[in-house]
């Protein structure tokens, strides 16, 4: 896989290494319901390795022999300071920027793993499983809430609003830091809203974060 490097929206590199991508499952109640999953009573955390990250503007490539691959559009948070057992104010101060990500999921495999009570990593941590956009500095997006969208072939598929999160961004980051230390360059994925579905060759995916970021990619 090509080496991944964080970038800002203007193309300049972010001089921080990507260590890990810390994710939350079922952080939007309607998404949990659309897959007939229970709404968790505490954050459902998992990790994607750095080797899963690719630049989102490159054509999407993924395993074709393991069943359906689903898209899950998520707000991505770039961490700028070390965090261990952080307070809410420390977590908020560590947010360096925001971007968008696709949490690509081998859905058939994930379903089998869930049935057996096994971890999800084989379904979510494969090479290329986390296309990431460039980031927008937090100073440009200091707002009460953030919205983001995904269109496929110019048709709206997902709309996310941070007000709908079961675990809001800052408390979520603080909680994650109580489970494992977050380092500068780590990325937090904050969950996907309803509307997930399978990817197919030739699709054009258009992702937008407020009026601050727009990216497109295609499926090989």
């Amino acid at each position: 896989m090509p080496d991944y490097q964080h970038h800002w929206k203007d193309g300049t590199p972010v001089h921080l290494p990507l260590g890990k991508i810390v994710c939350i499952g079922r952080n939007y109640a309607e998404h949990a319901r659309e897959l007939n999953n229970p709404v968790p009573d505490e954050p459902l955390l998992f990790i994607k390795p750095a080797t899963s990250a690719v630049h989102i503007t490159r054509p999407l490539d993924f395993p074709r022999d393991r069943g359906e691959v689903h898209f899950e559009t998520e707000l991505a948070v770039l961490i700028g300071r070390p965090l261990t057992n952080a307070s809410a104010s420390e977590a908020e101060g560590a947010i360096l920027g925001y971007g968008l990500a696709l949490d690509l999921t081998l859905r058939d495999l994930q379903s089998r793993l869930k049935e057996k009570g096994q971890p999800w990593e084989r379904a979510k941590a494969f090479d290329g499983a986390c296309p990431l956009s460039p980031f927008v500095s937090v100073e440009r997006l200091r707002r009460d809430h953030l919205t983001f969208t995904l269109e496929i072939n110019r048709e709206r598929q997902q709309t996310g609003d941070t007000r709908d999160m079961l675990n809001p961004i800052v408390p979520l980051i603080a909680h994650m830091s109580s489970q494992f230390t977050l380092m500068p360059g780590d990325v937090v994925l904050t969950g996907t809203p309803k509307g997930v579905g399978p990817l197919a060759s030739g699709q054009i995916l258009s992702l937008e974060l407020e009026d601050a970021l727009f990216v497109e990619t295609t499926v090989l």
Side-chain angles (χ1 to χ4, degrees):
M1 300 296 295
D3 291 336
Y4 170 84
Q5 170 68 53
H6 294 314
H7 283 84
W8 295 114
K9 178 185 173 183
D10 65 5
T12 58
V14 179
H15 295 293
L16 294 173
L18 172 59
K20 59 185 174 295
I21 302 157
V22 187
C23 313
I24 181 170
R26 306 176 200 169
N27 201 27
Y28 291 79
E30 290 188 1
H31 167 61
R33 296 187 187 105
E34 76 176 340
L35 296 182
N36 296 315
N37 289 319
V39 176
D41 55 11
E42 63 179 351
L44 181 59
L45 305 182
F46 62 96
I47 290 177
K48 288 175 176 273
T51 50
S52 70
V54 292
H55 293 286
I56 201 168
T57 53
R58 293 176 178 165
L60 303 182
D61 194 13
F62 44 78
R64 308 285 173 156
D65 57 352
R66 304 181 209 171
E68 286 190 343
V69 176
H70 278 208
F71 58 84
E72 297 186 5
T73 311
E74 308 202 11
L75 180 69
V77 182
L78 180 61
I79 300 299
R81 301 177 188 171
L83 292 175
T84 304
N85 294 315
S87 65
S89 61
E90 289 170 335
E92 185 171 17
I95 297 174
L96 190 61
Y98 294 102
L100 293 170
L102 292 170
D103 173 14
L104 299 187
T105 304
L106 291 161
R107 189 69 74 202
D108 297 333
L109 176 57
Q110 185 192 32
S111 296
R112 293 196 299 272
L113 293 171
K114 288 195 296 184
E115 288 173 1
K116 297 176 182 178
Q118 296 180 357
W120 299 353
E121 275 74 11
R122 285 169 55 207
K124 285 182 169 283
F126 55 90
D127 289 357
C130 190
L132 285 168
S133 79
F135 287 91
V136 178
S137 67
V138 67
E139 288 77 15
R140 288 200 55 198
L141 284 171
R142 290 196 184 279
R143 306 180 187 183
D144 292 338
H145 66 101
L146 297 172
T147 60
F148 58 95
T149 60
L150 167 70
E151 293 185 353
I152 296 182
N153 296 337
R154 312 307 176 197
E155 293 188 5
R156 181 68 56 86
Q157 295 293 320
Q158 290 188 277
T159 300
D161 188 321
T162 57
R163 291 176 295 188
D164 296 329
M165 290 180 174
L166 299 174
N167 300 275
I169 294 171
V170 171
L172 173 62
I173 293 172
H175 174 74
M176 287 176 169
S177 78
S178 74
Q179 306 301 307
F180 16 70
T181 294
L182 299 176
M183 295 298 294
D186 285 353
V187 171
V188 169
L189 300 192
T190 56
T192 193
K194 69 176 182 178
V196 303
L199 291 172
S201 294
Q203 289 174 326
I204 300 172
L205 281 66
S206 307
L207 299 86
E208 190 164 13
L209 171 59
E210 296 285 344
D211 56 357
L213 179 67
F214 177 83
V215 290
E216 279 195 337
T217 191
T218 58
V219 183
L220 285 177

